Amino acid sequence: VNSRQTKTAAQADRDYIRARGALPREPQVVSYTPQLSAATVKRGQPFKVNSVVELVNGSAQAVNDVREELVVLDPQGQPFKSGSKTLASNNKSGGRFENSFELTLPAGVSQGVYGVKTNLYVNGKLAATRDLRTQLVMLDDTSGAARQLAQR
């Protein structure tokens, strides 16, 4: 479970002003791109969801808190597993951040399409959400043992 800042708030704000002329009134998410770290996932084995977040301060309100939440949905669309964390533990500003969650689907889960929903909260308000999907299927390998595979 890592989080690190890769661009300062001053750099992000400067880039935003250069591209758009002025900062927005409220903090704004410039980009948010979560993705699964691998196309294959075995049951009982960890996999990662990595995200890159860039946000700028508002002219009337600064970024004080950024938190990412991850919710895994079972094949019926029901929440199955979840977790959240503050980006870059000392973050009290905008900027660009790389964040990652490590998750493990239990060994006994059934095959099917599992949703992964990510929510990004800025100053306690939902600012962005993304939906990822992973397909868990059973494949027989040459030894006859079942192999689990997840594909986006």
Side-chain angles (χ1 to χ4, degrees), residues 1-4 48 68 85-86 88 98-102:
V1 182
N2 298 340
S3 181
R4 67 188 183 103
K48 285 187 179 181
E68 188 174 24
K85 67 177 177 175
T86 301
E98 293 177 0
N99 198 33
S100 69
F101 284 87
E102 187 172 275

Side-chain angles (χ1 to χ4, degrees), residues 3 11 15-16 31 36 50 78 82 88 105 108 112 151:
S3 181
Q11 291 169 318
D15 290 350
Y16 188 93
S31 65
L36 295 169
N50 299 310
Q78 297 303 308
S82 67
L105 289 178
Q151 297 177 327

Side-chain angles (χ1 to χ4, degrees), residues 1 4 20 28 34-35 60 63 85-86 115 133 135 137:
V1 182
R4 67 188 183 103
R20 295 175 178 87
Q28 184 170 328
Q35 60 187 10
V63 173
K85 67 177 177 175
T86 301
R133 294 231 177 284
Q135 175 76 45
V137 296

Side-chain angles (χ1 to χ4, degrees), residues 9 18 27 38 45 47 54 57-58 66 68 78 80 85 88 97 99 107-108 113 127 136 141 151:
R18 190 176 300 126
Q45 298 294 311
F47 68 96
E54 186 166 338
N57 289 299
V66 182
E68 188 174 24
Q78 297 303 308
F80 172 68
K85 67 177 177 175
F97 300 88
N99 198 33
V113 176
L136 183 67
D141 63 20
Q151 297 177 327

Side-chain angles (χ1 to χ4, degrees), residues 79-146:
F80 172 68
K81 195 170 193 172
S82 67
S84 73
K85 67 177 177 175
T86 301
L87 271 62
S89 58
N90 61 351
N91 176 45
K92 295 290 181 202
S93 69
R96 182 183 298 147
F97 300 88
E98 293 177 0
N99 198 33
S100 69
F101 284 87
E102 187 172 275
L103 299 164
T104 302
L105 289 178
V109 298
S110 60
Q111 68 181 37
V113 176
Y114 286 78
V116 179
K117 182 175 186 171
T118 62
N119 296 312
L120 188 68
Y121 293 87
V122 178
N123 295 350
K125 291 192 288 192
L126 181 63
T129 187
R130 300 290 185 268
D131 290 306
L132 309 171
R133 294 231 177 284
T134 186
Q135 175 76 45
L136 183 67
V137 296
M138 304 283 282
L139 296 177
D140 288 332
D141 63 20
T142 53
S143 69

